[in-house]
Amino acid sequence: MSDSPLYGALEAGGTKMALSVLNDAGELLERTMLPTRTPGETIPEMIDWFRGKHIAALGIGCFGPLDLLPASPTFGSITATPKPGWQNVPVLDMFKKALGVPAAIDTDVNAAALAEARLGAAKGLSSCLYVTVGTGIGGGLIIHGQPVHGLVHPELGHMLLQPDPRDPAPKGFCPYHTSCLEGLASGPALQKRWGVSARELSQDHIAWEIESTYLAQMCVNAICCFSPEKIILGGGVMQQSFLLPKIRSKAKALLNNYIVSPALNEELDDYITAPGLDIHSGVTGAFLLAKQALAAE
Ligand code: ADP
Ligand code: ZN
């Protein structure tokens, strides 16, 4: 065996788990996917897979909400998820105990944001916001080079928005909130509102005018609240590449020249942008968490 350590990276999602092994340079050596069943089934399967891999540390980017308060007795647990069986599962502790290696956990989007900040579209910057627009909407915020946790951790997908007057479902579809971002603009929200999957909506459909208005409102709220040096938009819905220019121009109009920065004018195309790591932000983020865990040991 070589002296340079191997790292485990777990992208824990509500529908699937992606397990990877990477070398010290961040090159992917092995990868497998497992469906997310109950914790009693899926966690032992994942532990078994990692067990034979000689990893020196594990990083976990996990669906939430998570307890990320270092002083909390349940640090590293999933908390109040609607996902059956996963409430209060001490994910971090279970892996640490079973594998006997240093491990670190953060939200899936904070991990992706960390990767984009260190190695992707926001490389060289000390702050950025990464937002995924997919089955859900989530945002990871990096400030001073580190993910923001705070009270719990940001739940950017549930920020409240102003409904578009053209929206036939202005309350959205979140079971918790009226007119929140995820309830209005996630992939499933598009499907419920228009009766066809987001993938099948034609480019000239009014759906995309409304969708880009909501995502532009989110960008404006984030710019006004956090002043990130870059906003990175990923996830399945953003595969519709014509959305990015629409979001940029609407965000600019909503800001109405109030905030003075080249990023919001001549550099706007570079400011609200696609991920630099393509679809690899998640695995790269979990890898960086594993490296941090080993370094902290
Ligand atoms: P997840 O959020 O589950 O990790 P994705 O980011 O791929 O996975 O998001 C899945 C959602 O994105 C689905 O609701 C799907 O309808 C939507 N989606 C996936 N691909 C596209 C596409 N090419 N165009 C529009 N919507 C898409
Ligand atoms: Zn909500």
Side-chain angles (χ1 to χ4, degrees), residues 43-65:
I43 289 184
E45 277 175 11
M46 295 193 285
I47 287 169
D48 278 352
W49 191 84
F50 279 121
R51 207 168 241 146
K53 311 292 183 203
H54 307 290
I55 57 172
L58 177 69
I60 307 170
C62 191
F63 71 92

Side-chain angles (χ1 to χ4, degrees), residues 232-289:
I232 300 159
L233 302 181
V237 174
M238 293 306 302
Q239 298 290 321
Q240 303 287 340
S241 56
F242 60 85
L243 270 177
L244 260 181
K246 278 186 194 290
I247 294 165
R248 289 183 190 120
S249 63
K250 288 180 182 194
K252 188 169 160 53
L254 288 169
L255 282 164
N256 200 20
N257 293 319
Y258 179 71
I259 297 174
V260 180
S261 166
L264 304 174
N265 287 291
E266 64 271 17
E267 294 167 17
L268 186 62
D269 286 5
D270 199 40
Y271 178 68
I272 298 177
T273 188
L277 301 171
D278 193 17
I279 57 168
H280 307 294
S281 324
V283 60
T284 307
F287 162 71
L288 292 174
L289 290 174

Side-chain angles (χ1 to χ4, degrees), residues 157-160 174-183:
H158 297 272
M159 69 164 65
L160 305 181
C174 176
Y176 295 92
H177 312 116
T178 301
S179 310
C180 79
L181 173 62
E182 179 172 292

Side-chain angles (χ1 to χ4, degrees), residues 112-296:
L114 185 66
E116 288 292 332
R118 297 278 163 83
L119 302 166
K123 190 174 171 181
L125 303 177
S126 73
S127 63
C128 73
L129 175 69
Y130 170 89
V131 178
T132 178
V133 188
T135 305
I137 298 184
L141 180 65
I142 304 293
I143 300 284
H144 301 313
Q146 289 296 334
V148 169
H149 296 131
L151 179 69
V152 180
H153 49 72
E155 284 285 0
L156 179 129
H158 297 272
M159 69 164 65
L160 305 181
L161 299 181
Q162 290 179 342
D164 187 305
R166 300 164 296 181
D167 187 346
K171 293 185 173 174
F173 302 94
C174 176
Y176 295 92
H177 312 116
T178 301
S179 310
C180 79
L181 173 62
E182 179 172 292
L184 288 167
S186 65
L190 285 163
Q191 159 114 40
K192 283 184 191 133
R193 184 187 290 110
W194 304 107
V196 289
S197 91
R199 225 181 267 273
E200 291 162 65
L201 286 165
S202 66
Q203 189 172 335
D204 57 2
H205 197 288
I206 183 79
W208 298 119
E209 281 304 309
I210 296 170
E211 179 75 4
S212 54
T213 300
Y214 291 146
L215 293 172
Q217 285 189 31
M218 177 276 289
C219 291
V220 167
N221 291 343
I223 292 164
C224 294
C225 291
F226 315 124
S227 219
E229 291 162 284
K230 200 174 280 278
I231 296 179
I232 300 159
L233 302 181
V237 174
M238 293 306 302
Q239 298 290 321
Q240 303 287 340
S241 56
F242 60 85
L243 270 177
L244 260 181
K246 278 186 194 290
I247 294 165
R248 289 183 190 120
S249 63
K250 288 180 182 194
K252 188 169 160 53
L254 288 169
L255 282 164
N256 200 20
N257 293 319
Y258 179 71
I259 297 174
V260 180
S261 166
L264 304 174
N265 287 291
E266 64 271 17
E267 294 167 17
L268 186 62
D269 286 5
D270 199 40
Y271 178 68
I272 298 177
T273 188
L277 301 171
D278 193 17
I279 57 168
H280 307 294
S281 324
V283 60
T284 307
F287 162 71
L288 292 174
L289 290 174
K291 279 200 127 174
Q292 282 185 6
L294 189 61

